Amino acid sequence: MRKASIVTVTALALFGSLAVAAPPPMKSSTTFTDNGTTLVVAGNLLGLASGDLEITLEATGTETVVCADAGGMDPPPKEIVLVGTKVVTAATNTPVTFADLASSIPPAPVCGQIEGDPLLVKQDVAFTKASLEIRPVQPDPMLPPLKPVRCIQCSFKAPTIDGPAKPQQCLILPWC
C-alpha cells in the first residue's frame, strides 16, 4: 500500500510539474483564412529555442470543381492535402510571429475544352483540418530534416467556407 502511494505521488508530481513548466505554445491570435483554394495561417508561437525555424503547414480538405462542359459532367469531389513552408527566426523567450504561411495551390483540374478554351468555371477547397510542424532548419541540405520541436493539429467543426476559419480545437503536441 505504501509503495503504491509513493509511486502515485511521484508520478503526479512529475506530470504536474511538466504541465505547469511548459509555456503555452500558441497565442490566441492565431488566424486561419480560407482563400478558396489555399489556407493561410498567421500567429505567434511561444516557448521555442532561438534560431531559424521551419514552419510547415499541411492543410487537408475536399476539392470541388465545377466545369462548364456540354455533358454537364464535373469531376467528383476528392480529398487533397496541400503543403506550405515558411522559415522564421526565433529569439530566446520571445514570441515567434509568422504571417502569410499559405498552403500550396491544388493542381489545375481536368475539364474539357471547346476550341482550345478550358471549360473550368470554379475550383474550391473546403478545409477540414490543418497541422503546423515546427522544426529547426537543417543547415546541411544533404542531411535529413531535424526532428520537430512541436506539432499543432487543428480541426474545423464544419468544412471551411471562403474567409476567416475558426478551428473547433487545436491539439498541441511535443512531437509529430
Side-chain angles (χ1 to χ4, degrees):
M1 174 80 170
R2 179 172 156 79
K3 192 176 197 179
S5 297
I6 292 172
V7 170
T8 303
V9 170
T10 304
L12 288 173
L14 174 64
F15 289 118
S17 67
L18 289 175
V20 173
M26 191 164 66
K27 284 184 157 183
S28 61
S29 61
T30 301
T31 60
F32 293 86
T33 305
D34 178 343
N35 284 340
T37 55
T38 62
L39 188 65
V40 178
V41 183
N44 299 300
L45 300 168
L46 302 172
L48 298 171
S50 62
D52 289 338
L53 300 169
E54 179 179 81
I55 304 173
T56 301
L57 166 65
E58 214 175 79
T60 303
T62 302
E63 176 191 41
T64 54
V65 175
V66 178
C67 296
D69 64 359
M73 298 296 292
D74 296 328
K78 65 179 178 180
E79 183 171 280
I80 60 173
V81 177
L82 304 173
V83 178
T85 301
K86 185 171 203 134
V87 174
V88 295
T89 301
T92 304
N93 297 326
T94 303
V96 176
T97 301
F98 64 96
D100 300 325
L101 171 52
S103 67
S104 57
I105 298 172
V110 178
C111 287
Q113 292 187 354
I114 294 179
E115 298 176 18
D117 291 330
L119 297 173
L120 173 66
V121 173
K122 183 178 179 188
Q123 178 183 22
D124 187 65
V125 179
F127 295 97
T128 53
K129 57 187 172 180
S131 66
L132 296 172
E133 184 178 280
I134 299 102
R135 70 176 66 238
V137 171
Q138 171 60 272
D140 185 348
M142 299 305 289
L143 295 174
L146 297 172
K147 283 184 160 183
V149 293
R150 186 150 313 130
C151 285
I152 302 165
Q153 298 174 346
C154 300
S155 60
F156 299 99
K157 186 173 185 174
T160 62
I161 299 172
D162 296 358
K166 183 175 171 128
Q168 177 183 10
Q169 70 175 6
C170 289
L171 299 174
I172 298 144
L173 307 168
W175 66 89
C176 297

